[in-house]
Amino acid sequence: MGPNFHEILPLLVSHDVQFIVIGGGAAIVHGAARMTYDVDVVYARNAENLGRLVAALKPYKPYLRGVPLGLPFIWDQRTLQGGLNFTLTTTLGDLDLLADVPGGGMYEQIVPFTVELDAFGVRCLVVTLDMLIQMKRAAGRPKDMETIAELQNILENRRAPEPDF
Amino acid sequence: MSADSDLQKPLPYSPNLPPPDFFDPVVEAYKKDVDMTLIRENLKLTVTERFEKHQKLWEFAQALRAAGQRMREGR
């Protein structure tokens, strides 16, 4: 399964889940021409939000991605409480639920560096282009160097004055 | 907008990390090969259209992958 922004984002919003779009999805929002294979979100860890996440995703059979089928994995609030970052496959598509991300930290720490995104008829939060670059850099993965170059070009393009014809 | 109100605007990035336009020679080397025409076309689209374009590209890649698999299996 691949990314399914058009169903996953409205689903989370309809359940009032507190989340922020980061990663490749955020890069697409800001105009990057890159492929991504999953939906990455940072979620708030308060008990109410964990309950909303559980209720939202339960019908879509979340399971740990890359783990052999049949291993016990119970999708409930206790499981979420006991972990931090979950790379999931669901019947809607692949979804990474992240509680703490390099460079950004947790949901509450990232919220000041977000903008409101309007897509698929819903509104949700996405990290700013500036913060996305900082997070990619903090992740320190060689594969992100090319992405950072693209995002910095978008940033420079945004800051450049309009051509005077 | 006055310079004063600019100063009061919240930063869109964390002051505790290197700034987003931090100079990195490795990144600079990649920058010259970024296809800005693709980005400019994306920026003309709404966010929903950007996601839809990505979805079509992803489905195309999947179809190519499946075709390659069939070819290798001689079907």
Side-chain angles (χ1 to χ4, degrees):
Chain A
M1 293 290 280
N4 182 350
F5 293 99
H6 70 282
E7 288 187 283
I8 291 177
L9 299 185
L11 173 74
L12 297 179
V13 170
S14 71
H15 283 78
D16 292 325
V17 174
Q18 292 172 297
F19 71 98
I20 301 166
V21 179
I22 62 163
I28 293 169
V29 168
H30 292 298
R34 307 198 69 77
M35 284 276 280
T36 187
Y37 295 86
D38 52 25
V39 178
D40 296 323
V41 301
V42 175
Y43 67 100
R45 292 280 296 168
N46 61 71
E48 296 77 20
N49 201 49
L50 298 187
R52 292 182 205 125
L53 255 179
V54 168
L57 294 175
K58 194 150 201 153
Y60 304 100
K61 301 181 173 56
Y63 192 72
L64 295 173
R65 203 159 70 236
V67 170
L69 285 174
L71 289 179
F73 178 71
I74 301 165
W75 179 250
D76 62 8
Q77 203 164 326
R78 194 172 162 204
T79 297
L80 273 182
Q81 193 70 54
L84 277 179
N85 297 341
F86 297 85
T87 53
L88 301 172
T89 183
T90 75
T91 56
L92 287 181
D94 293 340
L95 170 66
D96 288 358
L97 293 178
L98 307 168
D100 192 359
V101 291
M106 303 192 80
Y107 175 86
E108 292 77 10
Q109 293 166 293
I110 303 174
V111 165
F113 311 112
T114 60
V115 286
E116 207 168 47
L117 150 71
D118 191 340
F120 310 115
V122 297
R123 297 177 81 81
C124 57
L125 298 179
V126 60
V127 281
T128 60
L129 175 58
D130 302 67
M131 188 62 184
L132 180 61
I133 294 170
Q134 288 186 307
M135 289 163 84
K136 289 278 181 197
R137 191 185 298 286
R141 300 177 300 188
K143 70 168 191 170
D144 285 332
M145 288 292 133
E146 201 178 339
T147 309
I148 294 170
E150 184 172 358
L151 296 174
Q152 280 195 338
N153 273 354
I154 296 172
L155 190 67
E156 286 165 16
N157 187 65
R158 195 182 276 184
R159 288 175 177 173
E162 290 292 316
D164 188 17
F165 293 116
Chain B
M1 190 174 283
S2 73
D4 279 351
S5 60
D6 264 352
L7 287 174
Q8 286 159 13
K9 269 198 303 194
L11 281 176
Y13 59 89
S14 169
N16 302 320
L17 292 168
D21 54 2
F22 179 80
F23 182 87
D24 178 336
V26 177
V27 171
E28 293 303 312
Y30 278 113
K31 270 187 184 176
K32 63 179 171 43
D33 293 322
V34 173
D35 188 341
M36 288 303 291
T37 62
L38 290 174
I39 291 169
R40 288 194 194 101
E41 287 306 309
N42 281 348
L43 293 174
K44 291 176 190 168
L45 305 174
T46 65
V47 172
T48 299
E49 287 168 339
R50 290 174 205 174
F51 277 127
E52 286 169 349
K53 184 177 170 183
H54 176 271
Q55 184 67 23
K56 282 183 192 157
L57 183 63
W58 198 86
E59 286 165 8
F60 176 62
Q62 289 300 105
L64 281 182
R65 193 168 289 157
Q69 177 91 18
R70 286 195 299 275
M71 187 185 71
R72 285 191 296 280
E73 291 171 356
R75 282 190 274 146

